Amino acid sequence: MSRAGRTRRFTREAVLGSGRDLLERAGEDLMNWEMHRRAGLVVVVEGPVAVGRRVRLRPRTGPAAWLRLTAPCEVTDVVHTAQARGFTYRALPGHPERGTETFLVHHDPGTDVVRLRIDAESAPATLLATLGAPIARAEQDRITRRYLAALGGRELGGR
């Protein structure tokens, strides 16, 4: 199977609630790594999200924790607009996967609804991740659900 055949892309979204004040609070938590911490990850970083900032993530529970896997990442893009807060990071060497993940908290002024959207694209980067692909995918799904719940979201259908 080609590398492209193992690439996985998905989007998950959750409604967090409503109001600009929620955008500010959820955006602050996202940009200060609180969503990741509440999702059960050990976050090793110096400071809030910023382009070029490197972070090391390690699950506290689940297969990745049992294997003592660490996921180094680098922030490649930051969004801070009147209606949205978020960032993208990419996996660095040493991460079991290669790819990117984007987290965006968005306020729709028309409906006043605040949502968290997660877009990810990844493929195995190590032999262990390749051999354990079904477990790696299940772990990725588990952590993504925890991210959505960490900001108080009600998950919507994903693709």
Side-chain angles (χ1 to χ4, degrees):
M1 180 185 282
S2 72
R3 285 186 183 267
R6 292 189 300 237
T7 298
R8 178 181 192 214
R9 293 174 184 84
F10 69 85
T11 297
R12 301 287 185 273
E13 195 170 79
V15 171
L16 303 181
S18 61
R20 283 206 46 83
D21 59 328
L22 178 57
L23 169 68
E24 297 299 330
R25 286 192 320 272
E28 175 93 6
D29 287 348
L30 178 63
M31 303 307 275
N32 285 296
W33 307 102
E34 288 306 313
M35 179 190 74
H36 287 75
R37 288 182 181 98
R38 289 182 200 151
L41 298 176
V42 174
V43 178
V44 180
V45 66
E46 298 207 10
V49 168
V51 172
R53 173 101 355 122
R54 292 185 173 203
V55 60
R56 296 180 68 78
L57 304 168
R58 193 176 71 246
R60 293 180 193 274
T61 63
W66 306 330
L67 294 170
R68 296 188 174 144
L69 296 179
T70 298
C73 300
E74 180 179 41
V75 176
T76 59
D77 188 41
V78 172
V79 174
H80 187 101
T81 68
Q83 304 306 328
R85 307 287 187 278
F87 67 95
T88 299
Y89 57 39
R90 68 181 179 95
L92 293 172
H95 194 297
E97 301 277 328
R98 58 183 161 73
T100 62
E101 198 159 16
T102 299
F103 306 92
L104 187 68
V105 175
H106 180 266
H107 175 248
D108 181 335
T111 63
D112 204 33
V113 171
V114 177
R115 298 174 192 265
L116 169 62
R117 178 180 169 129
I118 301 172
D119 292 297
E121 180 175 325
S122 64
T126 65
L127 180 59
L128 181 62
T130 300
L131 295 175
I135 295 168
R137 297 305 188 216
E139 180 72 349
Q140 186 179 40
D141 288 341
R142 182 182 76 89
I143 291 172
T144 298
R145 284 191 305 274
R146 292 177 70 105
Y147 286 152
L148 295 169
L151 291 182
R154 296 183 316 277
E155 186 173 359
L156 306 173
R159 52 184 155 96

